[in-house]
Amino acid sequence: MKPGKENSEDVSKFRPISLLNTRGEVLEKLLINRINHHVFAHDIMNKNQYGFTPQRSTTDATMAVKGFVEEGLAAGEIRVLISLDVKGAFDAARWPSILNGLKAYNCPKILYNLSKSYFGQRSAVLSFNNVSIKRKVTKGSPQGSYCGPRYWNILYNSLLNIQFTKSSKAVAFADDLILAVRKETIRAAENISNFEMSKITAWSRNNKINFNEDKSKVIKSRKRKENKEINIYLNKPLQQVSTIKYLGIVIDNKFKFSEHISSRKK
């Protein structure tokens, strides 16, 4: 079960681990290591992806967001953070989108074809209380697989490569995405935020990846004489909150760490 959901009866809160045979795991590791070598040797991965990349951590991702926000603070700008939650995450990764990414990055043909074969004719079997159910699998990657997180990065790279404005910065750790926006006024920040969100929405539609509107949140900085609400949309208006939790760190609308420190004392 997901942490804090131990008493839930919602099946989406369960985290089943797939049992993969040893030969399959060895093949996965060899395959994805060769793909990673190609990706990093040719500097293909977007610098704003911090998950499952060499010598990068959650701390690096958080500091990237913090640095962008502090630049806005020094310039006296309104700062907005939009935290986007992906429905299903790795389970929702479409294989055609991953293969399109490999092709776009000029992945060696043998690795592309092996990946295509890896995705083909897959099925999952659930055995419980002497009952066995088999289903065809058409997307996503097994929980516990070696390939899953790395294939996800290839898919998500196209989102991070979107041409955002200079007033915006998208930072990801695997599927955890923050869109940060800086602008002189609340209305300008709102307009830029919605402009950037329209690009992300178009990407999600093209790749059939859904963001959870109820779990995606917005926080903005306070500024004298402009204590107005901000209306940012992801199909519907996103909830504006005073704190968000990103990669285990609580960020408040003053963009300080006092709320995080208080939460760690409890």
Side-chain angles (χ1 to χ4, degrees), residues 32-68:
I32 206 64
N33 279 349
R34 296 292 180 88
I35 292 174
N36 277 345
H37 175 75
H38 172 78
V39 166
F40 293 115
H42 293 85
D43 199 25
I44 291 168
M45 197 59 61
N46 191 289
K47 300 302 183 186
N48 290 326
Q49 174 60 269
Y50 291 84
F52 307 108
T53 58
Q55 300 179 351
R56 309 193 98 188
S57 67
T58 55
T59 301
D60 295 316
T62 306
M63 293 303 291
V65 175
K66 180 175 179 288
F68 186 81

Coordinates of all heavy atoms in Angstrom, one line a residue, residues 32-68:
I32 N 18.9 -1.6 -21.2 CA 18.7 -0.2 -20.7 C 20.1 0.5 -20.5 O 20.2 1.7 -20.7 CB 17.8 -0.1 -19.5 CG1 17.1 1.3 -19.5 CG2 18.6 -0.4 -18.2 CD1 16.2 1.6 -20.6
N33 N 21.1 -0.3 -20.1 CA 22.4 0.3 -19.9 C 23.0 0.8 -21.2 O 23.7 1.8 -21.3 CB 23.4 -0.7 -19.2 CG 23.2 -0.8 -17.7 OD1 22.5 0.0 -17.1 ND2 23.8 -1.8 -17.1
R34 N 22.8 0.0 -22.3 CA 23.2 0.4 -23.6 C 22.5 1.7 -24.1 O 23.1 2.6 -24.7 CB 23.0 -0.7 -24.6 CG 23.8 -2.0 -24.3 CD 25.3 -1.8 -24.6 NE 26.1 -3.0 -24.3 CZ 26.3 -3.9 -25.2 NH1 25.9 -3.8 -26.5 NH2 27.1 -5.0 -24.9
I35 N 21.2 1.7 -23.8 CA 20.4 2.9 -24.2 C 20.8 4.1 -23.4 O 21.0 5.2 -23.9 CB 18.9 2.6 -23.9 CG1 18.3 1.6 -24.9 CG2 18.1 3.9 -24.1 CD1 16.9 1.2 -24.7
N36 N 21.1 3.9 -22.1 CA 21.6 5.0 -21.3 C 22.9 5.5 -21.8 O 23.2 6.8 -21.8 CB 21.7 4.6 -19.8 CG 20.4 4.7 -19.1 OD1 19.4 5.3 -19.5 ND2 20.3 4.0 -17.9
H37 N 23.8 4.6 -22.2 CA 25.1 5.0 -22.7 C 24.9 5.9 -23.9 O 25.6 7.0 -24.0 CB 25.9 3.8 -23.1 CG 27.2 4.2 -23.7 ND1 28.3 4.7 -23.0 CD2 27.6 4.1 -25.0 CE1 29.3 4.9 -23.8 NE2 28.9 4.6 -25.1
H38 N 24.0 5.5 -24.8 CA 23.7 6.4 -26.0 C 23.2 7.7 -25.6 O 23.6 8.8 -26.1 CB 22.7 5.6 -26.9 CG 22.3 6.5 -28.1 ND1 23.0 6.7 -29.2 CD2 21.1 7.2 -28.2 CE1 22.4 7.5 -30.0 NE2 21.2 7.8 -29.5
V39 N 22.2 7.7 -24.7 CA 21.5 9.0 -24.3 C 22.5 10.0 -23.6 O 22.5 11.1 -24.0 CB 20.4 8.7 -23.3 CG1 19.9 9.9 -22.6 CG2 19.2 8.0 -24.0
F40 N 23.3 9.5 -22.7 CA 24.2 10.4 -22.0 C 25.5 10.7 -22.7 O 26.0 11.8 -22.6 CB 24.5 9.8 -20.6 CG 23.4 9.7 -19.7 CD1 22.9 8.5 -19.2 CD2 22.7 10.9 -19.2 CE1 21.7 8.4 -18.4 CE2 21.6 10.8 -18.4 CZ 21.1 9.6 -18.0
A41 N 25.9 9.8 -23.6 CA 27.1 10.1 -24.4 C 26.8 11.2 -25.4 O 27.7 12.0 -25.8 CB 27.6 8.8 -25.1
H42 N 25.6 11.3 -25.9 CA 25.2 12.3 -26.8 C 24.4 13.5 -26.2 O 23.9 14.3 -26.9 CB 24.3 11.7 -27.9 CG 25.0 10.7 -28.8 ND1 25.2 9.4 -28.5 CD2 25.7 10.8 -30.0 CE1 25.9 8.7 -29.4 NE2 26.2 9.6 -30.3
D43 N 24.5 13.5 -24.8 CA 23.9 14.6 -24.1 C 22.4 14.9 -24.5 O 22.1 16.0 -24.8 CB 24.7 15.9 -24.3 CG 24.5 16.9 -23.2 OD1 24.1 16.5 -22.1 OD2 24.7 18.1 -23.5
I44 N 21.6 13.8 -24.6 CA 20.3 13.9 -25.1 C 19.3 14.3 -24.0 O 18.3 15.0 -24.2 CB 19.8 12.6 -25.7 CG1 20.6 12.4 -27.0 CG2 18.3 12.5 -26.0 CD1 20.5 11.0 -27.6
M45 N 19.5 13.8 -22.7 CA 18.6 14.0 -21.7 C 18.5 15.5 -21.2 O 19.6 16.1 -21.0 CB 18.9 13.1 -20.5 CG 17.8 13.0 -19.5 SD 16.3 12.3 -20.2 CE 16.9 10.7 -20.7
N46 N 17.3 16.0 -21.1 CA 17.2 17.4 -20.6 C 17.8 17.6 -19.3 O 17.7 16.8 -18.4 CB 15.7 17.8 -20.6 CG 15.4 19.2 -20.4 OD1 15.7 19.8 -19.4 ND2 15.0 19.9 -21.5
K47 N 18.5 18.8 -19.1 CA 19.2 19.0 -17.8 C 18.2 19.2 -16.6 O 18.7 19.2 -15.5 CB 20.1 20.3 -18.0 CG 21.1 20.2 -19.1 CD 22.1 19.0 -18.8 CE 23.1 19.0 -19.9 NZ 24.0 17.8 -19.8
N48 N 16.9 19.4 -16.9 CA 16.0 19.6 -15.8 C 15.3 18.3 -15.4 O 14.4 18.4 -14.6 CB 14.9 20.6 -16.3 CG 15.4 22.0 -16.4 OD1 16.3 22.4 -15.7 ND2 15.0 22.8 -17.4
Q49 N 15.8 17.2 -15.9 CA 15.4 15.9 -15.4 C 16.4 15.4 -14.4 O 17.6 15.2 -14.7 CB 15.2 14.9 -16.5 CG 14.9 13.5 -16.0 CD 13.6 13.3 -15.2 OE1 13.7 13.4 -14.0 NE2 12.5 13.1 -15.9
Y50 N 16.0 15.2 -13.1 CA 17.0 14.9 -12.1 C 16.8 13.4 -11.6 O 17.6 12.9 -10.8 CB 16.8 15.8 -10.9 CG 17.3 17.2 -11.2 CD1 16.5 18.2 -11.8 CD2 18.6 17.6 -10.9 CE1 16.9 19.4 -12.2 CE2 19.1 18.9 -11.2 CZ 18.2 19.8 -11.8 OH 18.7 21.0 -12.2
G51 N 15.7 12.8 -12.0 CA 15.4 11.4 -11.5 C 16.1 10.4 -12.4 O 16.2 10.5 -13.6
F52 N 16.7 9.4 -11.8 CA 17.4 8.2 -12.4 C 18.4 8.7 -13.4 O 18.5 8.2 -14.5 CB 16.3 7.4 -13.1 CG 15.2 7.0 -12.2 CD1 13.9 7.5 -12.3 CD2 15.4 6.0 -11.2 CE1 12.9 7.1 -11.5 CE2 14.4 5.7 -10.4 CZ 13.1 6.2 -10.5
T53 N 19.2 9.7 -13.1 CA 20.3 10.2 -13.9 C 21.5 10.2 -13.0 O 21.4 10.5 -11.8 CB 20.0 11.6 -14.4 OG1 19.8 12.5 -13.4 CG2 18.8 11.6 -15.3
P54 N 22.7 9.9 -13.6 CA 23.9 9.8 -12.8 C 24.3 11.1 -12.0 O 24.2 12.2 -12.6 CB 25.0 9.5 -13.9 CG 24.3 9.0 -15.1 CD 22.9 9.7 -15.0
Q55 N 24.6 10.9 -10.8 CA 25.1 12.0 -9.9 C 24.1 13.1 -9.8 O 24.5 14.3 -9.6 CB 26.5 12.5 -10.4 CG 27.5 11.4 -10.5 CD 28.9 11.9 -11.0 OE1 29.0 13.0 -11.5 NE2 29.9 11.0 -10.9
R56 N 22.8 12.8 -9.8 CA 21.8 13.8 -9.6 C 20.8 13.3 -8.6 O 20.5 12.1 -8.5 CB 21.1 14.2 -10.9 CG 22.1 14.6 -12.0 CD 21.4 15.3 -13.1 NE 21.5 16.7 -13.0 CZ 20.9 17.6 -13.8 NH1 20.0 17.1 -14.7 NH2 21.1 18.9 -13.7
S57 N 20.3 14.2 -7.7 CA 19.5 13.7 -6.6 C 18.3 14.6 -6.4 O 18.1 15.6 -7.1 CB 20.3 13.7 -5.3 OG 20.6 15.0 -4.9
T58 N 17.4 14.3 -5.4 CA 16.3 15.1 -5.1 C 16.7 16.5 -4.6 O 16.1 17.5 -4.8 CB 15.4 14.4 -4.0 OG1 16.2 14.1 -2.9 CG2 14.7 13.1 -4.6
T59 N 17.9 16.5 -3.9 CA 18.4 17.8 -3.4 C 18.7 18.7 -4.6 O 18.4 19.9 -4.6 CB 19.7 17.5 -2.6 OG1 19.3 16.7 -1.5 CG2 20.2 18.8 -2.1
D60 N 19.3 18.1 -5.6 CA 19.7 18.9 -6.8 C 18.4 19.5 -7.5 O 18.4 20.7 -7.9 CB 20.4 18.1 -7.8 CG 21.8 17.6 -7.3 OD1 22.5 18.4 -6.7 OD2 22.1 16.4 -7.5
A61 N 17.3 18.7 -7.6 CA 16.1 19.2 -8.1 C 15.5 20.3 -7.3 O 15.0 21.3 -7.9 CB 15.1 18.0 -8.3
T62 N 15.5 20.1 -6.0 CA 14.9 21.1 -5.1 C 15.7 22.4 -5.2 O 15.2 23.5 -5.2 CB 14.9 20.6 -3.7 OG1 14.2 19.4 -3.6 CG2 14.2 21.6 -2.7
M63 N 17.0 22.3 -5.3 CA 17.9 23.5 -5.3 C 17.7 24.2 -6.7 O 17.8 25.5 -6.7 CB 19.4 23.1 -5.1 CG 19.7 22.6 -3.7 SD 19.2 23.8 -2.4 CE 20.4 25.1 -2.7
A64 N 17.4 23.5 -7.7 CA 17.1 24.1 -9.0 C 15.9 25.0 -8.9 O 15.9 26.1 -9.5 CB 17.0 23.1 -10.1
V65 N 14.8 24.5 -8.3 CA 13.6 25.2 -8.1 C 13.9 26.4 -7.2 O 13.5 27.6 -7.5 CB 12.5 24.4 -7.5 CG1 11.3 25.2 -7.1 CG2 12.1 23.2 -8.4
K66 N 14.6 26.2 -6.1 CA 14.9 27.3 -5.2 C 15.7 28.4 -5.8 O 15.4 29.6 -5.6 CB 15.7 26.7 -4.0 CG 16.2 27.7 -2.9 CD 16.8 27.0 -1.8 CE 17.3 28.0 -0.7 NZ 18.4 28.8 -1.1
G67 N 16.7 28.0 -6.7 CA 17.5 29.1 -7.3 C 16.7 29.9 -8.3 O 16.8 31.2 -8.3
F68 N 15.7 29.3 -9.0 CA 14.9 30.1 -9.9 C 14.0 31.0 -9.1 O 13.7 32.2 -9.5 CB 14.0 29.1 -10.7 CG 13.2 29.7 -11.8 CD1 13.7 30.1 -13.0 CD2 11.8 30.0 -11.6 CE1 13.0 30.7 -14.0 CE2 11.1 30.6 -12.5 CZ 11.6 30.9 -13.8

